[in-house]
C-alpha cells in the first residue's frame, strides 16, 4: 500500500506542470504561507474599505466632539453587568485647569453605545456601485476603534482607505514598469548588437537617476490646482517610469541566452516575427521569475509612495495614503500625547513584510535548484 502511494506521488510529481510544482514548493514554506494569508487579508480590507470603514475618511470634523480622541475598545462586561452585544462608552469633554484649560476628554461609564452591524452611513462608490451600507457602527454617536486625529477624522477608516490607495499606486506603478521592462528588455535581449547597446545606455542612465531629487524637481512644476486624482496618476506614472530597469536587465539576460535555442530557430524558420517569438516563446519560459519579480516590486513601490508622501512630495489630503498618515506622526506632541497616531505604521510594516516574505517564498519555489542546494 505504501509503495503504491509513493509511486503515485512520483508520477504526480513528474507529470505536474511548472505552476503546480511552484505551488507545491510554496505551500511547504510556512512563513510564506502565513505572510500570504496576512497579505490577502490586508488586500481585502483595502478593496472593501468603503464597506468595512464606518465613516468617510475625507470628512474633517466628522466627530467634532472627539478630536484627538483615544481608541475606543468594544467590550461586553462592566460594573453594570454583561451584555450579549458589544458596546462602547460615551464621552464627556471639558476644560481642565490642570492642562491649562485645554479640552480634556473623559469616559462616561454610565453611557453605553451598542455596536450594530450592517448599518447605513456615509454614502460611497465601491467598484463604481453606489452604496451606504457599512459593516458596523453605533446608533447614536460614533465609534473610533483607532481613535481620531486633530480634525476629528476616524483613524480606522483612514487606515483602511490608505491601504487601498497605496496598493492602487503600487499596482499602477508596477504595471507600467512591467510593460516597459518586457518591451525594452525583450527587444534588447532578442536583437542584441547596437540595439542592445543603445537600450542598455538608456537603462543605465535611468538607474543612476536618484529618486528623491527627481521628485523634488518635479514637485516644483506640479501646479497647486491639480486635483487629488491628477496627483495620484502623476505619482504612479513616475514611479513606473523609474522602476523598470531592474526587471528589464533580467529579461535581457534571459533572452540573450534563450535566443539561440533550437525552438527559437524553429520559430524563425517557420516565418514567425520577432514580436511573436518574444511574446509567445521566449517570455513564457521566464514566466515564473517575472511573477516573482512583480511580487517583490510591490513593496518597493509602496515604500516609494509612502516615503514621497511622508516628505510632502507625493500624495496630499484629501487623498488618504499610508505616507499621508505617517506625516501626522512627526510632531513631538503626537509622540508624547497621542500614540494611537502610530497604529497605521503597524499596518504599513505588516503590508511591506508580507510582500517581502511572499516574494521570497515565490522566489525559492520558482527556483528548481533551491532544494538541491539545501
Amino acid at each position: 500500500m505504501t509503495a503504491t502511494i509513493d509511486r503515485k506521488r512520483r508520477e504526480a510529481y513528474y507529470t505536474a506542470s511548472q505552476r503546480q510544482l511552484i505551488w507545491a514548493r510554496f505551500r511547504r514554506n510556512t512563513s510564506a504561507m502565513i505572510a500570504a494569508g496576512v497579505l490577502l487579508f490586508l488586500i481585502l480590507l483595502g478593496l472593501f474599505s468603503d464597506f468595512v470603514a464606518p465613516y468617510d475618511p475625507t470628512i474633517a470634523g466628522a466627530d467634532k466632539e472627539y478630536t484627538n480622541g483615544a481608541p475606543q475598545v468594544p467590550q461586553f462586561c462592566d460594573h453594570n453587568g454583561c451584555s450579549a452585544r458589544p458596546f462602547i462608552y460615551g464621552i464627556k469633554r471639558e476644560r481642565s485647569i490642570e492642562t491649562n484649560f485645554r479640552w480634556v476628554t473623559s469616559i462616561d461609564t454610565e453611557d453605553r453605545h451598542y455596536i450594530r452591524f450592517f448599518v447605513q452611513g456615509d454614502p460611497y462608490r465601491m467598484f463604481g456601485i453606489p452604496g451606504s451600507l457599512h459593516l458596523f457602527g453605533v446608533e447614536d454617536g460614533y465609534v473610533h476603534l483607532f481613535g481620531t486625529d486633530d480634525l476629528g477624522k476616524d483613524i480606522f477608516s483612514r487606515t483602511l482607505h490608505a491601504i487601498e490607495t497605496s496598493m492602487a499606486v503600487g499596482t499602477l506603478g508596477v504595471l507600467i514598469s512591467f510593460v516597459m521592462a518586457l518591451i525594452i528588455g525583450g527587444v534588447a535581449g532578442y536583437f542584441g548588437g547596437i540595439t542592445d547597446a543603445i537600450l542598455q545606455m538608456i537603462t543605465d542612465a535611468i538607474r543612476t537617476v536618484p529618486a528623491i531629487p527627481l521628485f523634488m524637481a518635479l514637485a516644483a512644476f506640479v501646479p497647486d490646482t491639480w486635483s487629488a486624482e491628477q496627483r495620484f496618476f502623476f505619482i504612479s506614472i513616475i514611479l513606473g517610469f523609474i522602476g523598470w530597469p531592474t526587471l528589464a536587465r533580467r529579461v535581457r539576460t534571459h533572452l540573450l541566452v534563450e535566443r539561440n535555442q533550437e525552438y527559437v530557430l524553429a520559430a524563425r524558420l517557420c516565418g514567425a516575427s520577432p514580436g511573436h517569438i518574444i511574446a509567445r516563446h521566449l517570455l513564457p519560459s521566464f514566466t515564473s521569475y517575472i511573477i516573482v519579480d512583480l511580487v517583490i516590486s510591490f513593496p518597493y513601490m509602496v515604500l516609494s509612495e509612502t516615503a514621497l508622501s511622508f516628505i510632502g512630495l507625493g500624495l496630499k489630503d484629501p487623498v488618504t495614503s499610508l505616507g499621508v498618515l505617517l506625516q501626522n506622526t512627526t510632531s513631538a506632541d503626537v509622540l508624547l500625547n497621542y500614540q494611537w497616531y502610530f497604529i497605521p505604521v503597524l499596518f504599513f510594516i505588516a503590508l511591506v513584510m508580507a510582500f517581502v516574505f511572499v516574494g521570497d517564498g515565490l522566489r525559492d519555489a520558482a527556483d528548481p535548484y533551491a532544494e538541491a542546494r539545501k
Side-chain angles (χ1 to χ4, degrees):
M1 185 66 179
T2 305
T4 304
I5 296 176
D6 293 338
R7 180 173 54 83
K8 290 182 178 180
R9 287 179 178 176
R10 288 195 298 269
E11 290 178 356
Y13 177 82
Y14 288 115
T15 59
S17 64
Q18 184 182 22
R19 183 180 305 176
Q20 291 173 330
L21 292 175
I22 291 176
W23 172 240
R25 287 192 289 264
F26 183 79
R27 285 188 304 175
R28 293 198 294 267
N29 191 328
T30 305
S31 60
M33 288 296 294
I34 295 175
V38 174
L39 181 60
L40 179 61
F41 175 72
L42 292 176
I43 291 176
L44 291 177
L45 281 182
L47 289 176
F48 297 97
S49 58
D50 293 302
F51 167 70
V52 179
Y55 309 113
D56 187 341
T58 63
I59 298 179
D63 192 354
K64 297 180 181 179
E65 299 299 322
Y66 201 59
T67 57
N68 283 328
Q72 297 174 316
V73 181
Q75 51 189 320
F76 291 90
C77 297
D78 63 359
H79 63 283
N80 292 322
C82 296
S83 170
R85 295 170 56 189
F87 62 87
I88 60 173
Y89 290 124
I91 59 171
K92 296 185 297 184
R93 285 174 60 84
E94 56 188 1
R95 295 187 182 275
S96 173
I97 300 178
E98 298 178 356
T99 58
N100 297 324
F101 294 97
R102 295 176 61 181
W103 283 106
V104 176
T105 302
S106 59
I107 297 176
D108 186 0
T109 58
E110 302 299 327
D111 184 17
R112 283 185 177 185
H113 295 273
Y114 290 95
I115 296 178
R116 301 173 57 199
F117 294 95
F118 304 106
V119 298
Q120 296 293 326
D122 297 328
Y124 56 81
R125 295 185 67 89
M126 187 169 62
F127 309 120
I129 302 175
S132 59
L133 185 67
H134 295 265
L135 179 61
F136 65 94
V138 292
E139 185 174 0
D140 183 19
Y142 297 88
V143 53
H144 304 292
L145 299 182
F146 293 170
T148 61
D149 60 14
D150 57 343
L151 297 177
K153 297 180 181 179
D154 181 51
I155 295 180
F156 177 77
S157 301
R158 300 197 74 193
T159 301
L160 298 189
H161 283 80
I163 295 174
E164 178 189 21
T165 302
S166 296
M167 287 293 297
V169 172
T171 301
L172 186 56
V174 166
L175 288 178
I176 293 174
S177 63
F178 172 70
V179 173
M180 294 187 64
L182 292 186
I183 294 176
I184 297 176
V187 171
Y190 181 79
F191 290 100
I194 186 65
T195 303
D196 180 32
I198 294 174
L199 291 178
Q200 287 310 298
M201 290 176 59
I202 297 174
T203 302
D204 293 336
I206 297 296
R207 292 185 66 188
T208 57
V209 175
I212 299 300
L214 173 64
F215 271 92
M216 293 178 65
L218 293 175
F221 295 96
V222 175
D224 295 333
T225 57
W226 273 19
S227 64
E229 291 77 9
Q230 289 175 317
R231 186 178 290 271
F232 170 86
F233 283 106
F234 174 76
I235 296 297
S236 302
I237 291 172
I238 296 301
L239 287 176
F241 272 99
I242 65 176
W244 59 266
T246 301
L247 178 58
R249 292 182 68 89
R250 293 178 182 173
V251 172
R252 166 190 173 267
T253 302
H254 178 77
L255 265 61
L256 284 174
V257 176
E258 293 292 320
R259 66 176 183 171
N260 297 321
Q261 298 296 322
E262 294 181 356
Y263 68 91
V264 177
L265 178 59
R268 289 175 181 171
L269 294 176
C270 291
S273 64
H276 178 85
I277 296 175
I278 294 173
R280 298 297 300 273
H281 298 287
L282 291 174
L283 290 181
S285 65
F286 195 50
T287 302
S288 59
Y289 295 95
I290 293 176
I291 294 174
V292 171
D293 195 277
L294 282 177
V295 175
I296 295 177
S297 298
F298 263 99
Y300 293 106
M301 288 292 178
V302 174
L303 282 170
S304 299
E305 180 278 321
T306 303
L308 292 171
S309 299
F310 177 73
I311 63 178
L313 302 178
L315 302 175
K316 298 180 180 179
D317 281 325
V319 177
T320 303
S321 71
L322 293 173
V324 174
L325 293 183
L326 294 183
Q327 285 181 332
N328 300 328
T329 64
T330 56
S331 65
D333 189 33
V334 169
L335 182 62
L336 295 175
N337 302 308
Y338 312 122
Q339 292 82 7
W340 53 89
Y341 275 50
F342 289 88
I343 294 179
V345 178
L346 302 179
F347 282 81
F348 168 70
I349 295 174
L351 181 64
V352 173
M353 294 301 295
F355 267 119
V356 170
F357 277 102
V358 171
D360 288 342
L362 283 175
R363 181 179 58 192
D364 294 339
D367 185 0
Y369 302 105
E371 294 183 357
R373 290 195 296 263
K374 291 182 180 180

